[in-house]
Amino acid sequence: MKAAVDRADDGESISRLLRAWRGRVDARTVRELRGIFPRPGRRLSQAHVARMTGVSEGWYRALEAGRRQDFSERFLLRVAEALRLSEAETLTLFLAVSGRRPPEAGRDRTDLPRGVQTLLHQQVTYPAYLSDGAWNVVAANALMGEWFPWVLRPRPNLMRWALLEPEAREQMLDWEDACARVYLAMLRVAANSNPGNAELRALVQEILDSDADCRRIWAEEHDVVEHRDGHDFRLCLPYHGHAEVRVTSHVLLPIQRTDLRFVFITPADGWAGVPR
């Protein structure tokens, strides 16, 4: 552990960055430090940051020294606020300390980067959509709405449709093995990766409470699947005159909104599309 601390000045370690970020804050301008004795000078100390974040000085010192501790998300957010970190600096803090990105709190699900929206709606060859961490479809191109009209309904959700709607069992061929088992395995990963996501927990509970087949599969399976990128599956949709088609799903993460998935569906057999 001492060796890790000794290397704190090598390159841009988180220890070096935290000291630099703390050093640029004028303690005399910090509202939370007004009225304390002795009155702070210009330099913001570790004790000041500990006071501002509601922890002991030793706990904050461990963070700045680069010592591995179980630093909570709330604590790291308070540190970012105390040190007046930018969005990129907060991201750096979280990735260096916990290996996770900071939460996307307070962001409107319709607040999409313009470039991502443009890319989505300019995709006119294949169906494409954006979904969030709980598989709510937040945007879709015109062709996605034609293939899958359910995305045009209020607050569409991929998991809720695929696992609970009767039409999904007709349109997703080999529903249990190619759809239900895969999607439930994805839900298992998501629920364990983000246990604090109340919406995701409620979605899993709703699906298990609502469908006996899903309860049976959930109880008997232990498979985990992170995503459906590159997965082939068969569809039977009204858009194609109920002819069977094989497609492949592709999943991308927009760099500006990594809380979203950019999904598009391409033919698995090279066909250019089946007219209605």
Side-chain angles (χ1 to χ4, degrees):
M1 188 62 68
K2 185 177 186 300
V5 176
D6 288 343
R7 291 195 300 269
D9 290 322
D10 293 346
E12 291 302 315
S13 70
I14 194 59
S15 298
R16 177 186 175 92
L17 289 173
L18 280 165
R19 290 197 299 271
W21 293 335
R22 178 167 55 84
R24 73 187 180 190
V25 178
D26 187 341
R28 296 169 298 184
T29 67
V30 178
R31 179 174 53 82
E32 296 93 330
L33 300 180
R34 293 174 186 170
I36 68 170
F37 185 82
R39 295 180 61 184
R42 184 192 179 283
R43 180 174 175 78
L44 186 68
S45 68
Q46 291 181 339
H48 292 149
V49 180
R51 181 186 182 96
M52 295 162 65
T53 55
V55 298
S56 69
E57 184 177 350
W59 188 253
Y60 176 75
R61 188 184 301 118
L63 172 69
E64 198 167 292
R67 293 197 290 271
R68 293 293 177 182
Q69 303 277 13
D70 185 20
F71 297 115
S72 70
E73 187 175 89
R74 286 186 61 191
F75 169 61
L76 294 178
L77 288 173
R78 291 198 300 267
V79 170
E81 182 180 2
L83 299 182
R84 303 175 181 177
L85 301 188
S86 67
E87 185 174 337
E89 290 165 345
T90 301
L91 171 63
T92 302
L93 173 65
F94 267 78
L95 291 178
V97 174
S98 68
R100 304 186 306 272
R101 301 181 69 91
E104 300 284 346
R107 178 171 275 172
D108 189 332
R109 70 178 60 204
T110 62
D111 179 24
L112 303 176
R114 181 174 298 179
V116 174
Q117 292 189 66
T118 300
L119 180 63
L120 177 68
H121 293 295
Q122 286 185 348
Q123 173 56 261
V124 296
T125 306
Y126 304 119
Y129 65 92
L130 289 168
S131 66
D132 64 15
W135 283 277
N136 297 300
V137 176
V138 299
N141 68 356
L143 198 53
M144 183 69 186
E146 294 181 28
W147 281 40
F148 301 98
W150 62 268
V151 302
L152 305 177
R153 302 170 190 166
R155 296 184 63 81
N157 182 280
L158 174 64
M159 292 294 180
R160 191 172 286 114
W161 177 80
L163 296 173
L164 298 182
E165 289 292 334
E167 66 181 10
R169 304 192 183 208
E170 300 174 0
Q171 296 178 12
M172 305 282 287
L173 300 181
D174 192 17
W175 176 83
E176 180 165 326
D177 288 332
C179 174
R181 292 184 185 276
V182 175
Y183 281 174
L184 288 168
M186 290 165 62
L187 281 171
R188 187 175 287 112
V189 171
N192 283 280
S193 301
N194 193 1
N197 188 323
E199 183 179 17
L200 187 57
R201 291 201 313 271
L203 176 64
V204 173
Q205 195 61 54
E206 177 188 351
I207 289 169
L208 297 181
D209 288 345
S210 302
D211 188 83
D213 289 326
C214 289
R215 286 196 300 276
R216 171 179 54 80
I217 295 169
W218 187 270
E220 69 187 22
E221 289 283 350
H222 301 92
D223 289 344
V224 290
V225 175
E226 184 178 8
H227 53 71
R228 209 174 183 183
D229 181 51
H231 182 79
D232 291 349
F233 54 101
R234 298 180 300 131
L235 298 173
C236 181
L237 305 176
Y239 179 83
H240 302 119
H242 298 284
E244 178 182 324
V245 296
R246 290 183 62 247
V247 298
T248 304
S249 62
H250 308 270
V251 184
L252 308 176
L253 299 181
I255 191 64
Q256 295 171 290
R257 287 290 302 273
T258 55
D259 57 314
L260 297 177
R261 307 176 186 89
F262 190 117
V263 183
F264 58 102
I265 301 169
T266 63
D269 300 318
W271 49 264
V274 178
R276 280 183 290 184

